[in-house]
Amino acid sequence: MTEKLSATTTPEGSLEVLSQHEVNRLRDTSANGLHDILRRCALAVLNCGNPTDDGLAVMQTYHDFDIEVLQQDRGIRLKLTNAPAEAFVDGRMIRGIREHLSSVLRDIVYVHNEIQQHPRFDLASSESITNAVFHILRNAGTLDPSREPSLVVCWGGHSISREEYDYSKGVGYQLGLRDLDICTGCGPGAMKGPMKGANVAHAKQRRKRGRYLGISEPGIIAAESPNPIVNELVVMPDIEKRLEAFIRVGHGIIVFPGGVGTAEEILYLLGILLHPSNANIPFPIIFTGPRSAAEYFQRIDEFLAYTLGDEARNRYRIIIDDPTAVARAMRESIEEVTAFRRTHDDAFYYNWRLNIAPDFQHPFDATHEAMAGLALHREQPVHELAANLRRAFSGIVCGNVKEPGIRSIEAHGPFKLHAEPELMARLDDLLTSFVAQARMKLPGSHYVPCYTLE
C-alpha cells in the first residue's frame, strides 16, 4: 500500500508572501484558475523518489492528493494532503524538495502575473518572447553576472539503457573535473546522469558553487519528477520558451542518445545556428554516447547531411565512447566562447546576440491543414528547411505516439505531405531506425507511417 502523509510547510526562500488575489488564483479550480497546474507540478516534485516517468500513473496513485495555499500574517504556508511519504524524513520535508516546490510556486505565479497578464509583453513578438524568457530567468535568480562561462546544456532521452545512462554520468564526471556546470531538462535518464557525475567530480575538486540547473515546463514536470540533484529549478510556461532558455543561458550543448524528441531538439538547435545572422557566433555542440549508440548518431548525421548539408555538419562534432575527449573538447570550446563574448562586450549569463526566428518561438499545432502546408524541399534557406523539418517531425511523431494525434489520424486519415520524395523517404528511414533501436514508443509493435506523400 502506498504510504501517504499530510503536513504543512513554508516556501524555501523563493516566494514567502502573496497577495490575496494571487492566493485566490492558486485556489481556483476552474479552467481559468491555477490550482490544477500547481497540484500536478507539486505532486511530481514531491514524488521525486519514485523512478517512474508515467505522470498519469502517479496522478492515479495519488488521486486524493491536494495542496492549498494558506495566507497568514507572517507570509504563506502550504497545506499538503495525502502527499508521497518519501518526500519527508521524520515528518519534515526534505529541504531540496521544499526548494523545488517553492520554485514551482514562484514561477507559476510570476509567469501568470508578470508575463501572461502584463501588457508590456506581447507574446506574439519575437523580441518580447526573448525578453520574457530573460525576466523569468532573472526572477528565479538564475542569471549571475559574476560567473565565467561554464554552463553545459545536456540533452538526451529520459528512457535510455543502463549503459547509456552510465555513459552520460561518466561524461558529467569529466565535465565536473574541469569546473564545468550542468543544465538539463531536470528529469531522469540523460538528464540525471550528467548531473550525478558532475556532482561527484565537483566534490572532489571542492567546487562549492557547482550549478545543476533544471529548466522545465509544467507539462514535463507533471510527467517527469525533477532530478533531486537540481539545485536551481526554473519553470517556463511552454516548451518553446524552455528551449530558448537553454540556448540563451547555455555556453555549449552535449546531446546524448535519445529518441524522436532528441532529434527534434537537434533540428531546433541547428535551425537557429544556421540562420545567416548567427554564422559567426561560437556555440559548441557535441553528439556523444557509448559504442552501442553509434548507429543512432550515424543515422541522424546521414539525415542532416542530406537535408541541411555540410553547413549544418560543421556545427557539431560526434565523439563516440570517450567521455574524457568530450569534456576536453567542450572545455576548449567554452574558452573560445568566453573570448568571443569578451571581444564583443557580450554578457556571459544570457546570449542576447543569438537571433532566434519566430518559427522557433511559437508552438506548432500538427493539424492536417498545417502539415499539408509545410514546405519540405531543399530549394529554400537551410534554416527555414530545418524549421519545417522540425514541424514535420513533430507532426509525424504526434500522429504515431500521442493520443490527440492518433485520434486525429483515425478520424481524418493520414497527414498529406507535399515534399521531395527522396527527402521524405530518408525521414521515414530515420523514424524506422528509431523503432528498430527501441527508441520510439508506439501503441503496437509495428511502425505504420501516419502520412502519405502528395
Side-chain angles (χ1 to χ4, degrees):
M1 183 176 178
T2 303
E3 187 177 357
K4 302 176 183 179
L5 189 150
S6 298
T8 59
T9 187
T10 56
E12 178 70 24
S14 295
L15 190 68
E16 297 174 350
V17 293
L18 291 173
S19 70
Q20 190 60 54
H21 174 73
E22 290 169 333
V23 171
N24 291 339
R25 290 287 294 176
L26 291 166
R27 290 174 175 171
D28 188 351
T29 59
S30 71
N32 295 322
L34 298 177
H35 180 265
D36 183 62
I37 187 174
L38 175 62
R39 175 176 176 268
R40 288 174 176 272
C41 291
L43 178 56
V45 167
L46 293 164
N47 193 56
C48 71
N50 191 326
T52 182
D53 62 351
D54 188 339
L56 180 60
V58 173
M59 291 299 297
Q60 291 173 343
T61 301
Y62 296 97
H63 61 89
D64 53 354
F65 166 76
D66 200 11
I67 179 171
E68 183 181 359
V69 181
L70 305 176
Q71 183 77 286
Q72 298 184 342
D73 291 341
R74 295 186 179 181
I76 63 170
R77 288 181 67 80
L78 303 176
K79 180 182 178 182
L80 307 173
T81 303
N82 296 320
E86 292 85 355
F88 300 83
V89 175
D90 298 335
R92 294 174 62 88
M93 186 180 295
I94 296 170
R95 183 169 181 177
I97 294 177
R98 186 154 62 107
E99 289 178 354
H100 288 173
L101 184 61
S102 302
S103 296
V104 166
L105 178 63
R106 174 201 67 210
D107 293 339
I108 287 175
V109 171
Y110 183 79
V111 167
H112 180 268
N113 287 351
E114 302 299 329
I115 305 296
Q116 295 173 336
Q117 303 295 320
H118 202 292
R120 66 177 170 173
F121 291 108
D122 174 13
L123 296 182
S125 159
S126 179
E127 180 181 355
S128 191
I129 290 173
T130 296
N131 278 316
V133 171
F134 172 84
H135 278 265
I136 295 169
L137 291 167
R138 186 179 67 177
N139 181 67
T142 300
L143 307 179
D144 186 351
S146 67
R147 283 183 177 266
E148 293 279 313
S150 65
L151 198 59
V152 180
V153 175
C154 294
W155 285 346
H158 67 274
S159 183
I160 57 176
S161 69
R162 181 71 198 191
E163 181 184 12
E164 291 172 350
Y165 170 76
D166 288 342
Y167 181 84
S168 73
K169 187 164 63 174
V171 171
Y173 177 76
Q174 293 297 330
L175 293 170
L177 289 177
R178 290 161 177 82
D179 290 330
L180 293 173
D181 297 304
I182 308 295
C183 174
T184 75
C186 80
M191 291 166 279
K192 180 179 179 181
M195 285 191 174
K196 197 166 185 179
N199 185 259
V200 174
H202 287 164
K204 287 186 175 182
Q205 292 284 27
R206 304 299 187 262
R207 184 176 174 84
K208 297 181 180 179
R209 297 182 63 204
R211 299 188 71 189
Y212 315 102
L213 171 61
I215 301 177
S216 193
E217 51 95 14
I220 292 178
I221 283 189
E224 301 174 1
S225 298
N227 174 1
I229 299 173
V230 170
N231 61 8
E232 299 176 57
L233 175 63
V234 182
V235 182
M236 288 288 160
D238 54 53
I239 291 176
E240 277 67 28
K241 293 179 184 62
R242 171 177 172 252
L243 289 173
E244 179 162 349
F246 282 127
I247 304 300
R248 297 290 183 187
V249 301
H251 303 111
I253 290 187
I254 294 176
V255 181
F256 293 100
V260 290
T262 302
E264 283 186 66
E265 290 172 340
I266 289 172
L267 286 169
Y268 170 88
L269 177 58
L270 290 177
I272 290 171
L273 296 179
L274 290 172
H275 192 284
S277 63
N278 297 327
N280 297 319
I281 298 178
F283 199 95
I285 305 169
I286 298 175
F287 300 166
T288 191
R291 184 63 56 187
S292 59
E295 183 184 357
Y296 175 75
F297 289 117
Q298 178 186 348
R299 301 302 295 268
I300 289 178
D301 182 52
E302 291 171 351
F303 178 75
L304 295 174
Y306 177 80
T307 55
L308 305 180
D310 288 339
E311 187 179 356
R313 296 182 84 189
N314 291 336
R315 274 293 190 169
Y316 60 84
R317 296 176 59 182
I318 300 176
I319 301 175
I320 298 298
D321 206 28
D322 195 338
T324 300
V326 171
R328 285 175 177 166
M330 184 55 68
R331 177 75 268 179
E332 293 170 1
S333 296
I334 287 182
E335 289 174 1
E336 294 174 6
V337 170
T338 304
F340 177 87
R341 296 199 187 182
R342 286 190 192 279
T343 300
H344 294 85
D345 294 325
D346 290 343
F348 288 160
Y349 54 85
Y350 196 78
N351 194 343
W352 289 104
R353 182 178 290 265
L354 200 65
N355 178 20
I356 301 182
D359 288 348
F360 296 95
Q361 293 180 308
H362 298 286
F364 176 65
D365 186 10
T367 65
H368 281 69
E369 181 181 6
M371 291 288 282
L374 292 176
L376 301 176
H377 57 79
R378 291 182 294 169
E379 299 301 319
Q380 60 182 311
V382 288
H383 65 280
E384 294 180 9
L385 174 57
N388 286 320
L389 281 172
R390 179 184 174 238
R391 290 168 175 162
F393 213 104
S394 178
I396 291 170
V397 173
C398 180
N400 269 319
V401 303
K402 296 183 179 179
E403 184 179 351
I406 293 172
R407 289 182 177 177
S408 180
I409 296 297
E410 291 175 347
H412 306 291
F415 294 128
K416 295 180 179 180
L417 296 173
H418 302 276
E420 295 176 1
E422 178 65 17
L423 187 154
M424 284 310 303
R426 289 176 179 262
L427 178 56
D428 186 45
D429 287 345
L430 183 63
L431 288 171
T432 303
S433 74
F434 290 164
V435 176
Q437 298 171 36
R439 296 186 183 279
M440 189 166 173
K441 292 183 179 180
L442 295 170
S445 59
H446 182 59
Y447 168 56
V448 178
C450 63
Y451 62 88
T452 59
L453 285 173
E454 293 290 311

